[in-house]
Amino acid sequence: MSNEHEPRKPREQYRLRTRLIHGSFATGRWDYDHHVVPPQSSSTTFRLKSVHRGVQGFVEFGSPQAQRAPIYIYDRLDEPSRSMLEENLAAAEGGEMGVTFSTGMAAISAAICALVSSGHQIVAHRVLYGSTHSLLTNWLPRFGVRTEFCDLTNPECIAGAATRDCRVVYFETPVNPTMELIDMAAVRKVVDQLNASRPEPEQIRIVVDNTFATPYCQRPLEFGVDLVVHSLTKDIGGFGTDMGGAVIGSNRFYNLLMLYRKDFGGVLSPKNAWPILVYGLPTLATRMVNQQKGAMMVANFLLKQPKVARVVYPGLPNFPQAELARRQMVGYDGKFAPGSLLYFELKSCNGSGAMAGERFVDFVAEHAYTITLAVSLGQIKTLIENPFSMTHATVPEEDKIKSGLQPGGIRLSLGLEDWQDIIADLEAALAVV
Ligand SMILES: *Cc1c(COP(=O)(O)O)cnc(C)c1O
């Protein structure tokens, strides 16, 4: 029992006011290993048996040793609910380690900023999630980090865009919301050629935002990507209750990311980590299989509608990059996994396609039961939005148009409703545009 915290005299001999505070919390009763569902940990600070243990905890923080048997000191440094989620996220992506953050943007900014210093360059795809685009164009230049945007659907463009100072190649695939794919193995090849003449500290790292596909549909590390970033707020959380983010990759980045998170402070609250650990990640595969089935049904329905100008879904046979989709998007069961998101445009009738798109979405917002007008994606409820003017408002207009994102374009994130009900709601909206 020498490991246990032994009070100087029996608890009963302390005044009640003191006992209410100290109770018998310091107890041998904690036995995490035997809980079927992990308990939610909620402690900002941790009892240390000795000063020596505290010192050791600080010395080992962020090291491989701490990854295996951490000495918990303070929530912002490390904490068990979050660590359990990190271990499972790493497994889901086939990575060695994961570090979680308070939001997807906190994870994205950490992954990028941990790899660059003033004077460095980033090469990124021209269409990105709106806040990521804003981070690269509004904030990083203030710290001397520039971004060169190019069309990574042609990975050869990296060789022309990257300067000697380039340290990061950054993109999403499928691109949000145009559903264009970027060939990760081809990007790896181009970056390997550039890295061949660079010493280790100057190597270019590839960072991919895998939020859209989810690790169920695609595991970028298998294609040679260095770091995967996620918004856990979307499909991994799955139920739309909590925000979160994660960076996943090899152990060589663990220390850097943990130090970054400790000092910039964007930690995932254990209260938010817990539902993702207990409800979100364990049901990811089941949800994706069914959401994907709905997406396929809806994509096929939209394809046949005379008022629909274009449907982009990696699962459709007419998808422009169908071969790449089948190579890159593969589920845990080895089957083609084109995901749960699709993008479509309406034909212009009595005006522009943009007006038709807005009328359509407004009708859905007012009259549909199964489809909700809301940003975000990857929930059990089907969500619809106009990315051009909403989520992608900060991306320059010409880059959006060049990537096939039109003002009236509509993004649909399939939920788990009966697909026939979703189609009926879409049919009703099509009738009025
Ligand atoms: C939502 C989203 C983000 C940002 O995540 P937050 O959790 O909202 O900070 C980044 N990338 C993509 C592709 C997203 O959909």
Side-chain angles (χ1 to χ4, degrees):
M1 276 289 139
S2 60
N3 276 345
E4 301 302 332
H5 176 63
E6 289 289 353
R8 199 164 41 78
K9 55 183 182 181
R11 292 180 218 287
E12 297 72 29
Q13 291 175 20
Y14 288 88
R15 287 163 207 277
L16 199 54
R17 177 170 159 179
T18 301
R19 283 184 62 197
L20 284 182
I21 291 166
H22 286 277
S24 57
F25 302 136
T27 164
R29 288 194 186 99
W30 288 118
D31 185 5
Y32 272 33
D33 258 9
H34 290 87
H35 280 71
V36 172
V37 175
Q40 188 186 112
S41 144
S42 218
S43 179
T44 56
T45 192
F46 293 81
R47 185 171 62 83
L48 296 160
K49 278 203 307 279
S50 62
V51 172
H52 174 75
R53 186 175 160 86
V55 171
Q56 204 183 344
F58 277 108
V59 169
E60 288 178 4
F61 173 73
S63 71
Q65 161 64 20
Q67 232 177 323
R68 284 189 299 274
I71 296 174
Y72 292 124
I73 298 173
Y74 185 61
D75 184 330
R76 179 158 45 70
L77 275 61
D78 203 2
E79 187 283 334
S81 290
R82 208 158 55 214
S83 329
M84 282 186 278
L85 174 61
E86 287 165 353
E87 204 174 317
N88 295 350
L89 285 169
E93 280 286 3
E96 289 174 344
M97 65 87 210
V99 179
T100 55
F101 291 85
S102 54
T103 64
M105 282 317 302
I108 290 166
S109 55
I112 292 173
C113 293
L115 298 174
V116 295
S117 310
S118 179
H120 287 158
Q121 183 215 35
I122 296 164
V123 171
H125 185 59
R126 62 189 175 191
V127 171
L128 295 172
Y129 180 74
S131 296
T132 306
H133 195 278
S134 175
L135 171 73
L136 297 178
T137 52
N138 291 324
W139 294 99
L140 293 191
R142 293 168 58 157
F143 306 101
V145 176
R146 294 157 297 117
T147 298
E148 185 71 24
F149 292 96
C150 68
D151 179 6
L152 289 179
T153 60
N154 167 27
E156 293 301 327
C157 82
I158 298 167
T163 65
R164 190 71 220 175
D165 297 321
C166 182
R167 292 293 181 276
V168 173
V169 170
Y170 185 93
F171 56 94
E172 302 155 9
T173 179
V175 178
N176 172 5
T178 59
M179 307 307 294
E180 289 174 292
L181 302 188
I182 292 168
D183 186 335
M184 292 184 276
V187 169
R188 180 75 260 171
K189 228 167 158 181
V190 174
V191 169
D192 277 346
Q193 282 160 7
L194 295 173
N195 279 345
S197 59
R198 290 164 171 249
E200 173 75 20
E202 293 172 25
Q203 302 256 306
I204 301 171
R205 307 294 184 188
I206 306 168
V207 182
V208 167
D209 181 340
N210 198 29
T211 303
F212 244 47
T214 82
Y216 176 79
C217 298
Q218 156 180 297
R219 287 148 313 278
L221 300 174
E222 288 173 5
F223 298 96
V225 163
D226 293 294
L227 285 175
V228 173
V229 293
H230 271 290
S231 168
L232 303 176
T233 315
K234 314 294 168 55
D235 274 294
I236 293 180
F239 297 90
T241 57
D242 299 276
M243 299 203 77
V247 183
I248 300 157
S250 80
N251 279 337
R252 64 156 60 164
F253 301 107
Y254 182 70
N255 180 257
L256 196 59
L257 289 164
M258 289 297 276
L259 289 173
Y260 183 97
R261 185 178 72 179
K262 169 177 81 70
D263 296 338
F264 282 86
V267 294
L268 178 64
S269 155
K271 291 188 182 71
N272 292 11
W274 190 82
I276 303 172
L277 171 72
V278 172
Y279 300 118
L281 192 56
T283 58
L284 174 69
T286 307
R287 283 183 285 110
M288 287 312 292
V289 166
N290 289 288
Q291 287 171 205
Q292 216 168 240
K293 189 173 147 196
M296 196 69 212
M297 295 297 185
V298 168
N300 272 310
F301 161 80
L302 289 171
L303 204 57
K304 287 186 226 121
Q305 302 311 305
K307 289 181 181 172
V308 174
R310 194 160 81 95
V311 188
V312 197
Y313 178 60
L316 286 175
N318 74 350
F319 184 68
Q321 298 163 290
E323 184 276 326
L324 175 58
R326 281 177 163 70
R327 183 150 46 86
Q328 205 162 255
M329 304 187 76
V330 178
Y332 290 147
D333 56 2
K335 290 185 189 146
F336 181 37
S340 60
L341 284 138
L342 58 89
Y343 173 81
F344 65 100
E345 286 159 11
L346 299 177
K347 285 185 183 148
S348 48
C349 34
N350 320 322
S352 67
M355 281 166 61
E358 190 171 332
R359 267 204 306 278
F360 180 91
V361 174
D362 278 344
F363 182 88
V364 166
E366 229 181 304
H367 302 287
Y369 179 62
T370 62
I371 308 170
T372 307
L373 168 58
V375 300
S376 199
L377 54 101
Q379 304 194 1
I380 60 168
K381 293 185 178 180
T382 295
L383 304 179
I384 199 167
E385 68 128 358
N386 278 122
F388 196 97
S389 53
M390 294 171 66
T391 47
H392 289 67
T394 57
V395 179
E397 202 151 307
E398 66 164 291
D399 286 335
K400 288 190 276 203
I401 303 273
K402 267 195 237 152
S403 287
L405 180 53
Q406 293 293 325
I410 296 165
R411 185 182 79 186
L412 200 58
S413 162
L414 268 291
L416 288 175
E417 302 90 345
D418 188 301
W419 57 268
Q420 295 170 92
D421 286 335
I422 298 170
I423 286 177
D425 271 337
L426 292 170
E427 227 163 6
L430 279 171
V432 303
V433 296

